[in-house]
Amino acid sequence: MQLTPSRSAAPLSSLALFLLLCCHMTSTLSQKSDSALAVVENTEGEVEVMDEGDEGDFEVVQPTEEWQTLKPGQAVPAGSHVRLNLQTGQREVRLGEEQLKYLDQEHRETEETSISPEELKRVMKKIKEDMKPESAEHQDSVASRFRPMEELKREMAELDLLVQTDDQIMRRLLEQFNSSSSTTEQRLSILLELEYLVHQVDNAQNLCSMGGLQLVVETLNSSDFRLQQSSAFVLGSAVSSNPEVQVKAMEGGALQTLLTMLATDQPLWVKKKVLFAVASLLRNFPFAQRHFLSRGGLQVLSELFRGDRGGVLRTRIVTMLYDMISEKELISQAGLDPGLHASHQELLRQYSLVSLREGLLEEGWCSLIPELLDSPEHDFREKALRAMLALAPVCVDQYRSHSSLKVSLLLLREQYQDMIQSQMILGEENEYFEEMMDLINALHFKLR
Ligand SMILES: *[C@@H]1O[C@H](CO)[C@@H](O)[C@H](O)[C@H]1NC(C)=O
Ligand SMILES: *[C@@H]1O[C@H](CO)[C@@H](O)[C@H](O)[C@H]1NC(C)=O
């Protein structure tokens, strides 16, 4: 799960959220986590997550009228106002302007102090109807206490003019980052702010043209681990699904620097983010993949894999390799289609230069990946099984001569069979275990 922050997008749906939040806030000012979670559900992913990867363990902060400091890993509902306090270097959040405005209005216009959930639902339904241009009937309901949609939109447009554009913000941040008087703490929070901004394709591209990407790449070489980690995070987010920025990062020498970081002594938490940056840089980018291979990337990863006893990096590495294998496979399969576009032919040619499977075979991955099967985590095993199947065309001889692989597979199969047959687990889990069985059987079949 990777939720993408949406700062300036989707005004209409955010609007619904403002209103919902406002009702919620007036009625349940003192309740916290419950209502925050409800908001998250209702808006389907409109939550801003400030960390990549560790899905599921972020905490949603419910903003109030007062500024409160955000801790790393905390998320806020869309529409909240987040700012960087340059004195303290902390990120802070409070209710967004619209939310505050309506909170005020509610206080002024009505003596009512609570709105029942039923009423709230009715309001939400009404708001949705209001959004359809043809429906203009205004009943004497709770919804009529809100101002008409058109007026609201006009005010929001005016507000937009007052708010600094992302470009202005980035320029200011970069200036401050580059200033010799900035402290490490300030630089760290600036990087966090940039990381947030570059999720938007345009912002990441503008960062390049402002010279900011190069600044970020240079910061990878900093002597401070925290700066290394944060700059890798910004870089990874900036190149994600953004071909133009991927090219710029390659030109700026990012790949070589990242590989050096992976190959040298660094704390695990730094390497985690560096790996994220490498994976994002290589994704759907055969040119970078080819350079990754020719610069010994697979060897660097295999040493990392061998040294990672805890398993935190192992799964990420195998997932990344699996993604690369299947990416190439998908392109080649589509390549069998006659009447193909010329650009696809070129893509096909570029992928043909990426000798991924051969490289994996050479660097000993045929025997490394099966080690993940011993993990107690279903997820790790699944990644291992999928990668092993994808590598079967080059690895099958080594699988067959592996001393314990067959036994491991049989034991796993037994274990999943037992779990499926037991009455304890629920439908969804059962499906997952059946999928695992299919993977195990498919692999077992290849070993015969
Ligand atoms: C950072 O500062 C240096 C010199 O002080 C300057 O050459 C460079 O353009 C600045 N970079 C950015 C992105 O502002
Ligand atoms: C980082 O440092 C290494 C070694 O000092 C150097 O080769 C590399 O070019 C530097 N990378 C960047 C982006 O400055």
Side-chain angles (χ1 to χ4, degrees):
M1 177 189 73
Q2 174 104 20
L3 299 178
T4 318
S6 57
R7 168 169 280 188
S8 60
L12 280 189
S13 61
S14 316
L15 204 53
L17 175 64
F18 297 151
L19 298 175
L20 174 63
L21 253 178
C22 134
C23 299
H24 239 85
M25 294 307 295
T26 42
S27 58
T28 59
L29 264 180
S30 54
Q31 296 172 15
K32 352 185 261 287
S33 53
D34 249 357
S35 56
L37 284 177
V39 168
V40 170
E41 258 175 31
N42 278 335
T43 57
E44 292 184 337
E46 288 220 74
V47 173
E48 295 156 358
V49 182
M50 276 133 196
D51 197 6
E52 146 279 334
D54 313 303
E55 52 262 32
D57 56 0
F58 61 87
E59 175 195 351
V60 178
V61 175
Q62 184 58 66
T64 64
E65 290 168 84
E66 302 298 326
W67 287 106
Q68 46 179 316
T69 302
L70 277 180
K71 296 189 201 71
Q74 285 183 330
V76 298
S80 308
H81 187 171
V82 178
R83 73 169 182 192
L84 181 69
N85 183 330
L86 290 170
Q87 258 86 51
T88 62
Q90 305 281 350
R91 291 162 73 82
E92 299 173 337
V93 65
R94 71 166 186 199
L95 286 172
E97 304 302 330
E98 286 74 14
Q99 296 161 358
L100 285 172
K101 202 182 320 176
Y102 281 92
L103 190 57
D104 273 0
Q105 205 188 5
E106 277 290 289
H107 281 319
R108 265 188 278 112
E109 288 183 358
T110 164
E111 294 304 309
E112 268 186 58
T113 49
S114 72
I115 297 177
S116 69
E118 286 70 31
E119 255 177 311
L120 193 61
K121 260 186 222 156
R122 224 175 35 243
V123 174
M124 287 310 295
K125 192 154 166 280
K126 188 76 179 74
I127 290 168
K128 276 189 193 140
E129 280 164 7
D130 274 359
M131 285 183 177
K132 296 178 201 142
E134 61 277 2
S135 139
E137 44 172 323
H138 278 264
Q139 296 300 321
D140 202 17
S141 70
V142 184
S144 65
R145 290 210 304 270
F146 297 108
R147 282 173 295 172
M149 216 59 203
E150 282 312 310
E151 193 182 327
L152 205 78
K153 275 194 250 175
R154 207 162 46 238
E155 283 192 8
M156 285 181 71
E158 280 165 14
L159 198 86
D160 258 0
L161 294 178
L162 299 177
V163 175
Q164 279 190 314
T165 65
D166 284 356
D167 268 17
Q168 288 168 319
I169 295 173
M170 283 201 299
R171 229 175 260 287
R172 182 173 51 77
L173 289 172
L174 287 177
E175 225 166 78
Q176 210 143 19
F177 188 86
N178 209 12
S179 148
S180 54
S181 61
S182 291
T183 64
T184 301
E185 300 302 329
Q186 282 169 335
R187 290 207 168 95
L188 284 170
S189 47
I190 289 171
L191 286 173
L192 257 181
E193 186 93 339
L194 286 175
E195 194 282 326
Y196 176 78
L197 290 167
V198 297
H199 281 268
Q200 280 189 37
V201 171
D202 292 355
N203 282 348
Q205 290 170 359
N206 290 339
L207 183 76
C208 294
S209 55
M210 291 175 195
L213 189 80
Q214 202 51 35
L215 221 49
V216 169
V217 171
E218 280 161 20
T219 311
L220 291 172
N221 262 353
S222 152
S223 56
D224 189 302
F225 286 140
R226 292 170 306 163
L227 282 172
Q228 294 180 5
Q229 186 220 23
S230 295
S231 51
F233 191 19
V234 179
L235 178 62
S237 299
V239 294
S240 286
S241 312
N242 204 331
E244 197 172 302
V245 182
Q246 281 179 314
V247 171
K248 290 286 192 317
M250 281 303 285
E251 285 171 0
L255 181 62
Q256 187 57 56
T257 306
L258 291 171
L259 284 180
T260 308
M261 290 172 88
L262 285 181
T264 50
D265 219 13
Q266 310 267 1
L268 195 67
W269 50 272
V270 175
K271 291 201 174 178
K272 242 166 90 172
K273 284 287 188 271
V274 174
L275 202 57
F276 160 66
V278 173
S280 307
L281 184 56
L282 299 189
R283 193 166 304 128
N284 296 321
F285 192 16
F287 173 81
Q289 293 178 11
R290 191 151 51 88
H291 281 266
F292 169 79
L293 295 180
S294 68
R295 286 171 196 183
L298 286 177
Q299 192 186 349
V300 169
L301 289 191
S302 72
E303 271 153 29
L304 208 54
F305 186 97
R306 288 189 173 95
D308 179 41
R309 293 282 149 226
V312 180
L313 296 177
R314 285 186 164 203
T315 334
R316 287 163 192 253
I317 294 171
V318 170
T319 305
M320 172 182 155
L321 295 175
Y322 170 72
D323 286 346
M324 280 166 74
I325 299 167
S326 24
E327 180 187 310
K328 184 175 172 178
E329 215 155 68
L330 273 177
I331 296 283
S332 327
Q333 277 165 11
L336 299 176
D337 184 359
L340 216 54
H341 204 269
S343 66
H344 192 98
Q345 294 292 354
E346 171 57 18
L347 203 57
L348 215 56
R349 190 190 67 80
Q350 292 201 16
Y351 272 103
S352 72
L353 298 173
V354 182
S355 346
L356 186 58
R357 283 199 174 120
E358 298 75 4
L360 286 165
L361 177 66
E362 256 171 56
E363 292 301 334
W365 285 97
C366 297
S367 59
L368 278 181
I369 295 177
E371 286 183 26
L372 256 193
L373 285 181
D374 300 335
S375 160
E377 305 283 338
H378 300 304
D379 185 41
F380 290 17
R381 296 170 180 171
E382 184 203 337
K383 295 282 155 53
L385 287 167
R386 290 191 188 280
M388 285 171 72
L389 275 168
L391 277 177
V394 289
C395 287
V396 74
D397 291 335
Q398 289 198 40
Y399 292 165
R400 284 186 182 132
S401 59
H402 193 290
S403 59
S404 60
L405 182 56
K406 247 185 168 158
V407 177
S408 298
L409 285 178
L410 287 175
L411 284 174
L412 280 181
R413 186 155 75 176
E414 219 168 89
Q415 193 185 338
Y416 285 109
Q417 209 144 31
D418 283 353
M419 283 195 280
I420 290 169
Q421 278 161 3
S422 80
Q423 309 285 312
M424 300 299 290
I425 50 177
L426 304 166
E428 207 174 288
E429 252 178 326
N430 228 343
E431 260 172 45
Y432 180 71
F433 291 146
E434 273 166 12
E435 219 177 296
M436 291 290 277
M437 284 286 284
D438 289 344
L439 291 174
I440 293 168
N441 286 332
L443 192 57
H444 194 250
F445 184 76
K446 293 217 186 278
L447 297 192
R448 287 196 304 196

